Amino acid sequence: MMDKEQIKEFAITEYRRWLTCATDPKAQNELKNLAGQEEELVDAFCAHLRFGTSGIRGVLGIGINRMNEYVVRRTTQGVANYLNRTCSHRPRVVISYDSRDKSDVFAMETAKVLRGNDVEVHLFPHLAPVSVLSYSIRKLSCDMGIMITASHNPKIFNGYKVYGSDGYQIVGDVPDAILEEIDKLDFFDGIREDHSGIQFVSDEVSKSFCRDVIAMSTADGILGNQMNELSVVYTPLNGTGNHYVRQVLDGIGFNNLTVVGCQEMPDSSFSTCPAPNPEKITAYNEGFKALDAVKGDIIIATDPDCDRVGVSIYHDSMKVLLTGNQLGVLMLDYLCHVRPPKPGQFMIKSIVTTPLAERIAEKYGLRTVNTLTGFKYIGEMITSLEQAGRLSEYYFGFEESNGYLMNPFIRDKDGVSSAMLAVEVAAWCKAAGKDLIQRLHEIYEEFGVCRDKTWNFFFEGPYGSLTMGHVMDWFRNNLTAGSSIGGVMIQERIDYLQDTGLPKSDVMSYLLEGGTQLVIRPSGTEAKIKIYIFETENLPTVEKDIENIMNSFKG
């Protein structure tokens, strides 16, 4: 790993090369604007935007550490080389995109490079959610899918997600194999493009997706006309969910819906929600205005690529945003009541998702399987079940980061079916005379309270990844079983870079005295380290110690 001076020297050298080679006027203008801005210049050229967690994601702009046409074309050439090397037939790829700045441009650049390498290309002619892409991969018998999106990140980001033939993000050796192909390439030479032969995906694929989601509804015969007594405000946060969520809700007979007008249509600047993340209460500001206007019960939000869903309500006259864990627990509880599990079925969740779900699952006879963070691991398990003829054993899957899948008809988290499920859960609660928080308290009374907290510690700038590596090294080398943090003894430590029975991953997990669980991992998509704590009692000394450790690296 390079030190700071080496990183700076590398960045300046690469910047000068781009000044010579990136000849189009817009790129030249952006490059010249970086002159004299050393920190921004170094950040833009300090390292290649790495093909990591099933793709790339970064800030929009010029440079090798930014999302731009040059980076997208080089990445796609590497993907095409991988496909042509590993497929025994002519590869087929489907491409979709969200409403972000340049998403449509990057989607077309991706399509042209694939066509230049004799790959059969199916491009969505309009915005489509991640889950529709996952669905279309199998529907169109494709070898791969590519989604242009930065999911829930702020508006300055965009990204490039790669999916395998089974409909979940690539795992195992595939990302490294594609990275190896990309690393052989230059940004300015060896990129082949062809504008001809791009096929557009038929609207029938989207219609089929919606029909399959509607068929999952649990409301028929359970809620009846009571469902429309619930008043729902929906916001797609200017993303891909608008048409799909509304069509599905209409399809199950739900019509008491108000859509947030200023967030209804695509808006790449996300004018009213600069951070379009349903995990953040600020994303609901416009939603609460609409909720007040119609005197509604609940706000449902989906992120720009519509793979995550969030819920916010008024409870005791206070604005309350449900955490991803709370919403997942409510969904699981509801499903167990209205669609009782069959013997042998199980729930899948990530290792950073609340253990409260396991206690609920146990009561209803469900087994629990824990996976690494990333819904692709849930998708991988679903595919393994299907191949073994045991797909019916899947019951429900979710992650604490607001990702849910109630039916294994696709292999990724789905904001469309989850929005439908959230409506049905809330309507069921209202029919019983309670809101979601009141039902959550009933669950706590039966199964015990599980408080969970997530911190995000950001390490941005040209040396952020270097610092993040030092942070993980510190936890790995200094906190062991028998030592303590915040005065609380560590009883057990798990290093997921070691052999744990799961794929190796840069994650540390600690079980503390009293049952508290602590998990530390670097984000695969942002310059941050995420820390999760699951506790039975408030542990301020532990929290303070963690905060001091993390801040010491920010110096």
Side-chain angles (χ1 to χ4, degrees):
M1 183 178 292
M2 294 188 290
D3 61 25
K4 288 187 177 182
E5 283 305 313
Q6 290 170 321
I7 290 172
K8 180 179 174 181
E9 182 180 350
F10 172 83
I12 292 172
T13 301
E14 192 66 11
Y15 168 71
R16 289 170 178 162
R17 190 173 81 89
W18 274 55
L19 275 171
T20 302
C21 299
T23 56
D24 68 273
K26 187 173 181 182
Q28 281 291 306
N29 186 54
E30 288 187 66
L31 287 164
K32 289 172 182 176
N33 286 340
L34 286 177
Q37 302 182 56
E38 182 178 294
E39 186 173 349
E40 189 174 343
L41 185 155
V42 173
D43 194 27
F45 287 92
C46 63
H48 293 114
L49 196 60
R50 301 302 286 173
F51 191 92
T53 308
S54 306
I56 55 175
R57 185 177 299 184
V59 174
L60 287 158
I62 200 69
I64 64 175
N65 192 34
R66 295 285 186 263
M67 281 295 296
N68 53 66
E69 289 88 335
Y70 294 97
V71 168
V72 168
R73 287 194 287 261
R74 177 175 181 257
T75 300
T76 306
Q77 184 65 54
V79 168
N81 290 349
Y82 168 80
L83 284 170
N84 283 321
R85 178 171 61 80
T86 57
C87 288
S88 58
H89 53 274
R90 185 187 184 196
R92 304 179 69 182
V93 176
V94 58
I95 305 166
S96 184
Y97 58 95
D98 70 3
S99 57
R100 289 178 177 273
D101 187 23
K102 288 202 166 183
S103 284
D104 56 344
V105 173
F106 293 160
M108 183 56 73
E109 290 294 333
T110 300
K112 289 190 294 186
V113 173
L114 290 174
R115 286 296 306 125
N117 289 270
D118 197 33
V119 175
E120 184 178 319
V121 173
H122 299 262
L123 175 64
F124 272 86
H126 46 66
L127 309 180
V130 155
S131 47
V132 177
L133 178 80
S134 175
Y135 182 86
S136 68
I137 292 169
R138 289 155 57 86
K139 192 78 173 176
L140 300 174
S141 301
C142 289
D143 300 286
M144 188 172 280
I146 296 172
M147 178 80 188
I148 307 297
T149 179
S151 191
H152 58 292
N153 287 99
K155 63 181 182 179
I156 61 172
F157 286 83
N158 212 326
Y160 182 112
K161 293 182 182 178
V162 181
Y163 289 74
S165 60
D166 291 307
Y168 55 86
Q169 291 182 49
I170 52 175
V171 296
D173 298 331
V174 178
D176 286 341
I178 292 175
L179 176 59
E180 185 178 340
E181 295 291 347
I182 295 170
D183 282 344
K184 297 174 185 176
L185 300 166
D186 186 59
F187 291 93
F188 308 106
D189 297 309
I191 311 296
R192 297 183 291 276
E193 295 184 83
D194 187 349
H195 297 244
S196 65
I198 298 171
Q199 303 177 53
F200 290 97
V201 178
S202 165
D203 283 344
E204 180 54 34
V205 172
S206 295
K207 292 176 182 177
S208 176
F209 170 87
C210 289
R211 287 195 296 269
D212 285 353
V213 172
I214 291 166
M216 299 176 205
S217 174
T218 58
D220 187 32
I222 295 170
L223 294 170
N225 293 330
Q226 289 179 304
M227 183 168 60
N228 279 300
E229 292 178 10
L230 182 79
S231 175
V232 174
V233 168
Y234 169 61
T235 172
L237 297 178
N238 302 117
T240 61
N242 183 37
H243 165 75
Y244 292 89
V245 171
R246 293 171 75 169
Q247 184 172 332
V248 163
L249 292 180
D250 183 67
I252 66 170
F254 182 80
N255 52 44
N256 196 0
L257 183 72
T258 301
V259 180
V260 178
C262 62
Q263 296 174 342
E264 178 179 3
M265 304 307 293
D267 175 11
S268 63
S269 65
F270 300 102
S271 308
T272 59
C273 53
N277 184 352
E279 299 174 78
K280 305 294 184 184
I281 189 69
T282 52
Y284 296 81
N285 289 343
E286 296 298 326
F288 274 110
K289 292 178 186 177
L291 197 70
D292 292 339
V294 299
K295 296 181 172 54
D297 297 299
I298 181 175
I299 307 168
I300 294 176
T302 52
D303 66 342
D305 62 350
C306 197
D307 61 352
R308 300 170 193 246
V309 68
V311 165
S312 200
I313 66 171
Y314 280 116
H315 176 72
D316 290 341
S317 302
M318 297 287 291
K319 293 178 181 178
V320 178
L321 171 62
L322 276 73
T323 68
N325 278 321
Q326 289 172 332
L327 183 55
V329 161
L330 286 164
M331 288 176 170
L332 176 62
D333 167 70
Y334 168 78
L335 289 172
C336 286
H337 276 87
V338 304
R339 195 187 73 189
K342 298 174 183 176
Q345 287 190 302
F346 57 85
M347 170 194 71
I348 314 175
K349 71 176 189 65
S350 71
I351 59 173
V352 295
T353 299
T354 177
L356 175 59
E358 297 185 35
R359 300 198 286 272
I360 296 171
E362 185 179 8
K363 174 185 175 178
Y364 292 97
L366 283 168
R367 296 174 290 157
T368 299
V369 175
N370 285 292
T371 70
L372 290 175
T373 306
F375 219 90
K376 59 188 178 182
Y377 295 111
I378 296 177
E380 186 178 32
M381 183 162 289
I382 293 170
T383 296
S384 296
L385 288 172
E386 183 177 51
Q387 291 171 345
R390 298 166 48 205
L391 191 57
S392 61
E393 293 180 19
Y394 178 90
Y395 187 77
F396 185 58
F398 82 105
E399 289 190 319
E400 54 78 34
S401 55
N402 292 69
Y404 314 95
L405 185 63
M406 63 184 293
N407 184 294
F409 80 119
I410 60 169
R411 302 294 186 264
D412 204 350
K413 52 187 178 286
D414 174 29
V416 180
S417 60
S418 298
M420 178 184 76
L421 180 57
V423 167
E424 295 177 359
V425 174
W428 181 67
C429 288
K430 184 166 185 177
K434 65 194 75 166
D435 66 23
L436 295 175
I437 300 300
Q438 289 169 322
R439 177 57 194 156
L440 199 59
H441 287 160
E442 291 176 349
I443 293 170
Y444 288 164
E445 286 177 11
E446 181 175 359
F447 297 98
V449 176
C450 181
R451 299 180 181 89
D452 59 274
K453 182 173 182 177
T454 303
W455 292 285
N456 293 315
F457 291 91
F458 289 87
F459 297 89
E460 297 171 330
Y463 313 113
S465 60
L466 190 66
T467 305
M468 287 168 62
H470 293 328
V471 171
M472 293 306 298
D473 286 345
W474 189 94
F475 278 100
R476 188 164 278 111
N477 296 328
N478 290 277
L479 292 187
T480 59
S483 62
S484 65
I485 183 167
V488 181
M489 182 72 70
I490 297 172
Q491 294 183 328
E492 180 183 330
R493 185 188 86 151
I494 301 174
D495 182 351
Y496 286 89
L497 281 179
Q498 306 302 316
D499 188 6
T500 63
L502 295 174
K504 291 183 179 180
S505 183
D506 191 10
V507 180
M508 297 298 300
S509 176
Y510 302 91
L511 179 63
L512 308 185
E513 190 174 14
T516 297
Q517 185 182 2
L518 180 68
V519 181
I520 300 107
R521 73 175 184 91
S523 170
T525 57
E526 296 178 77
K528 68 183 181 183
I529 286 181
K530 301 191 75 169
I531 295 184
Y532 311 80
I533 188 167
F534 305 100
E535 56 183 345
T536 52
E537 295 180 8
N538 190 31
L539 295 172
T541 56
V542 172
E543 294 182 11
K544 186 65 177 175
D545 208 356
I546 291 170
E547 204 164 2
N548 289 339
I549 292 166
M550 300 302 290
N551 288 336
S552 71
F553 285 92
K554 293 191 170 185

